[in-house]
Amino acid sequence: QVQLVESGGGLVQAGGSLKLSCTASASGSIFSIVTMGWYRQAPGKQRDLVALITSGGDTNYADSVKGRFTISRDNAIDTVYLQMNSLKPEDTAVYYCYVRTRHSNYWGQGTQVTVSS
């Protein structure tokens, strides 16, 4: 079982920046992470992809965040980051960390990001 611990959400004004972090751990077991990333869910809406990054560093972004958000990861500490710049009110959502190993998918508990206009 893999546990995900997220941090970095909060309240920011439009045009501001936030950086999210998510660290994966699994006590007593060895796991191999294939993909890490972030999804978000706004009230009354479905959970949507924000960005993904593979173990080799290939990235995939939602069109709505291209050029503003940057995903990165540190494989040595099983941590994924999401640098969010030029934030807009429509970026307001709960952001969920996502990890795919060779055997399963895992989700974080979610961190709230609120962008005020």
Side-chain angles (χ1 to χ4, degrees):
Q1 188 71 13
V2 174
Q3 293 81 43
L4 303 178
V5 178
E6 303 158 337
S7 63
L11 173 64
V12 65
Q13 289 187 332
S17 298
L18 284 174
K19 186 174 184 177
L20 306 182
S21 301
C22 173
T23 299
S25 63
S27 58
S29 64
I30 299 173
F31 61 102
S32 179
I33 295 176
V34 177
T35 301
M36 304 184 82
W38 298 90
Y39 285 72
R40 67 186 181 186
Q41 188 168 19
K45 296 187 177 181
Q46 67 181 19
R47 189 175 298 187
D48 291 326
L49 169 71
V50 176
L52 295 173
I53 185 167
T54 67
S55 57
D58 293 327
T59 59
N60 182 32
Y61 293 94
D63 288 342
S64 60
V65 306
K66 285 181 180 177
R68 300 188 297 121
F69 291 9
T70 302
I71 191 169
S72 60
R73 64 188 280 180
D74 186 335
N75 292 331
I77 56 172
D78 294 323
T79 297
V80 63
Y81 306 96
L82 185 68
Q83 177 67 47
M84 305 184 292
N85 298 328
S86 302
L87 283 161
K88 304 176 181 180
E90 51 263 45
D91 295 318
T92 295
V94 177
Y95 284 68
Y96 294 91
C97 179
Y98 166 79
V99 165
R100 181 169 71 88
T101 68
R102 291 180 180 176
H103 305 292
S104 190
N105 302 316
Y106 299 92
W107 294 93
Q109 79 282 2
T111 184
Q112 177 70 45
V113 171
T114 302
V115 184
S116 63
S117 58

